[in-house]
């Protein structure tokens, strides 16, 4: 079964064709990073306009890269929740139109579900149920309990910022380019991770909080520079040496990785029947985190971020679980809905 997966929930315009939820026949991702580097973050209206321009060329390239025509495609899948409203609209309207035009069943997929299913792509050994999924992206930080395919229970979530958002905000203070995750990881390679100590948040159970860590980094920078806490955060980068930037990046990354690994270890203690740990979402590209969780499943780094292949994989397992196609004439978008709904 060949599924065309379409993803436009944030700032990547992506389409891919995947066979039987595993084999990637094509995977086209057009990133808007170069546009948003200038602004230091995503501007939703600009993202939506860029999706509109890139969408059909991306879909057509996905078809030609896979040497497929519409005859070969069995279903269309698209991210309909959660994400930026305008961005989700472009992807879903495209998928709805294509499904009607080519008479294909349409499946609407939750973005976090598709991140999790990136772990089933091109993987020789597959995760085993029941499993725990740590979903870490720019918008989410959750631990999910999965007793089987397509079944999700949220057992931990963030009370404030997402971990990727925290990487992005700390990077901004340090004057490192957007997106912050990869630039912090790069700067950290030349830094001393033991140089600065940041407290771990005291959040009960399996929940997270990252706004305190972001503030701790800010205060430590101000203290290090002998500046008052009233000193604006956007100006601090102008006072930091290269060495200090790298040390802060490394120390912050070390703390972030420790917090994530501590919580996933707590989750395994609480759910001793767990057979696999799966890590997913943009932050799962982080090498230090990969080193810290050697037994966990991670997607190929190229599949950690947003892409269409994971949407197609998630749809395949929805179909296997008996989910029926959605009506292409009425499919709605849900910018904020939870994976449990
Ligand atoms: O899943 P994703 O591509 O988009 C969302 O669904 O949000 O995740 C993007 C996030 C950004 O915050 C980015 O800084 C972070 O993933 N990220 C990383 C790394 N690569 C991307 N964070 C830490 N280390 C990385 N290597
Ligand atoms: Zn994502």
């Amino acid at each position: 079964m060949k599924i065309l997966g379409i993803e436009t929930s944030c700032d990547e315009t992506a389409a891919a064709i995947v066979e039987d939820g595993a084999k990637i026949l094509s995977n086209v991702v057009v990133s808007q990073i170069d546009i948003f580097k200038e602004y230091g973050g995503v501007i939703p209206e600009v993202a939506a306009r860029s999706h509109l321009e890139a969408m059909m060329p991306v879909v057509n390239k996905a078809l030609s890269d896979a040497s497929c025509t519409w005859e070969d495609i069995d279903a269309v899948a698209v991210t309909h929740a959660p994400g930026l409203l305008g961005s989700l609209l472009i992807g879903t309207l495209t998928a709805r139109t294509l499904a009607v035009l080519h008479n294909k069943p349409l499946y609407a997929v939750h973005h976090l579900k598709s991140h999790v299913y990136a772990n089933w792509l091109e993987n020789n050994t597959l995760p085993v149920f029941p499993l725990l999924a740590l979903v870490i992206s720019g918008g989410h930080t959750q631990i999910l309990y999965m007793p089987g395919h397509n079944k999700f229970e949220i057992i931990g979530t963030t009370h404030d910022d997402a971990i990727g958002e925290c990487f992005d905000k700390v990077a901004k203070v340090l004057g490192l380019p957007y997106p912050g995750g990869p630039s912090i990881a790069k700067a950290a390679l030349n830094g001393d991770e033991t140089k600065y100590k940041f407290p771990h948040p005291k959040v009960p159970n399996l929940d997270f909080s990252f706004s305190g860590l972001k503030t701790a980094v800010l205060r430590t920078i101000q203290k290090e520079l002998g500046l008052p806490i009233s000193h604006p955060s956007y100006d601090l980068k102008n006072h930091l040496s290269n060495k200090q930037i790298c040390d802060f990046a490394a120390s912050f990354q070390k703390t972030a990785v420790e917090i994530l690994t501590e919580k996933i270890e707590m989750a395994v203690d609480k759910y001793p029947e767990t057979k696999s740990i799966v890590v997913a979402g943009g932050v799962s590209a982080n090498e230090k985190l990969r080193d810290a969780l050697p037994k966990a499943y991670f997607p190929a780094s190229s599949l950690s971020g947003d892409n269409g292949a994971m949407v197609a994989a998630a749809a395949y397992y929805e179909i296997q679980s008996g989910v029926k196609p959605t009506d292409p004439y009425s499919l709605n978008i849900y910018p904020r809905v939870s994976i449990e709904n």
Side-chain angles (χ1 to χ4, degrees):
M1 175 175 225
K2 293 191 182 75
I3 302 181
L4 168 72
I6 294 177
E7 153 64 39
T8 63
S9 67
C10 189
D11 59 347
E12 259 92 28
T13 316
I17 295 166
V18 175
E19 191 163 12
D20 296 337
K23 189 164 187 269
I24 299 178
L25 303 182
S26 65
N27 190 21
V28 184
V29 181
V30 170
S31 170
Q32 302 172 11
I33 281 176
D34 286 343
I35 304 173
F36 295 125
K37 248 186 188 153
E38 256 183 67
Y39 303 101
V42 177
I43 300 168
E45 287 76 8
V46 178
R49 276 175 191 276
S50 308
H51 283 310
L52 189 56
E53 276 173 30
M55 189 76 262
M56 280 318 293
V58 164
V59 168
N60 288 332
K61 184 159 186 341
L63 285 165
S64 64
D65 282 2
S67 305
C68 284
T69 66
W70 275 100
E71 294 262 288
D72 305 310
I73 302 300
D74 298 295
V76 177
V78 65
T79 313
H80 77 312
L84 300 173
L85 188 145
S87 294
L88 289 169
L89 264 180
I90 305 299
T92 50
L93 285 171
T94 305
R96 290 168 60 179
T97 309
L98 291 172
V100 171
L101 200 63
H102 300 287
N103 196 22
K104 306 290 174 185
L106 176 64
Y107 293 86
V109 180
H110 191 281
H111 186 59
L112 299 193
K113 188 189 286 191
S114 59
H115 269 306
V116 170
Y117 274 102
N119 282 281
W120 273 258
L121 289 165
E122 302 287 345
N123 207 341
N124 290 332
T125 49
L126 293 179
V128 182
F129 297 106
L131 64 79
L132 293 174
L134 176 66
V135 183
I136 40 179
S137 72
H140 294 85
T141 308
Q142 293 189 333
I143 303 180
L144 307 172
Y145 180 76
M146 278 184 83
H149 276 301
N150 210 34
K151 293 194 180 82
F152 300 90
E153 185 195 335
I154 301 170
I155 58 169
T157 193
T158 181
H159 291 189
D160 39 60
D161 291 355
I163 176 72
E165 190 181 353
C166 190
F167 268 90
D168 294 340
K169 286 178 175 169
V170 169
K172 209 168 184 176
V173 173
L174 295 175
L176 298 169
Y178 175 86
S183 37
I184 289 212
K186 194 170 161 211
L189 292 173
N190 300 313
D192 173 4
E193 62 176 23
T194 62
K195 178 81 200 220
Y196 304 105
K197 299 269 180 289
F198 306 117
H200 291 202
K202 301 210 167 24
V203 200
N205 308 320
L206 301 173
D207 284 348
F208 298 92
S209 164
F210 288 103
S211 69
L213 175 58
K214 173 191 68 192
T215 310
V217 175
L218 190 63
R219 296 286 173 259
T220 312
I221 296 173
Q222 288 164 330
K223 201 167 153 212
E224 169 89 5
L225 296 172
L227 293 166
I229 59 170
S230 57
H231 195 92
S233 59
Y234 63 79
D235 179 59
L236 295 172
K237 57 180 181 287
N238 302 320
H239 300 267
L240 289 165
S241 70
N242 217 7
K243 165 100 178 64
Q244 285 171 315
I245 291 170
C246 294
D247 288 348
F248 272 109
S251 304
F252 160 73
Q253 178 177 250
K254 175 176 186 274
T255 312
V257 167
E258 281 169 0
I259 293 168
L260 293 172
T261 39
E262 266 165 29
K263 285 286 168 165
I264 200 74
E265 279 161 13
M266 270 174 74
V268 174
D269 283 345
K270 202 165 168 191
Y271 294 84
E273 69 274 29
T274 299
K275 293 225 170 60
S276 307
I277 297 167
V278 159
V279 190
V283 184
S284 72
N286 189 275
E287 290 295 336
K288 280 280 168 188
L289 182 65
R290 287 174 182 244
D291 292 346
L293 294 171
K295 289 197 187 123
Y297 287 81
F298 283 83
S301 294
S302 58
L303 299 170
S304 281
D306 295 345
N307 64 80
M310 66 188 193
V311 180
Y316 176 80
Y317 285 99
E318 281 196 353
I319 295 166
Q320 299 302 305
S321 311
V323 174
K324 296 284 168 252
T326 188
D327 179 2
Y329 291 99
S330 64
L331 170 65
N332 215 335
I333 57 164
Y334 300 94
R336 301 187 69 86
V337 76
S338 148
I339 195 171
E340 280 178 342
N341 292 338

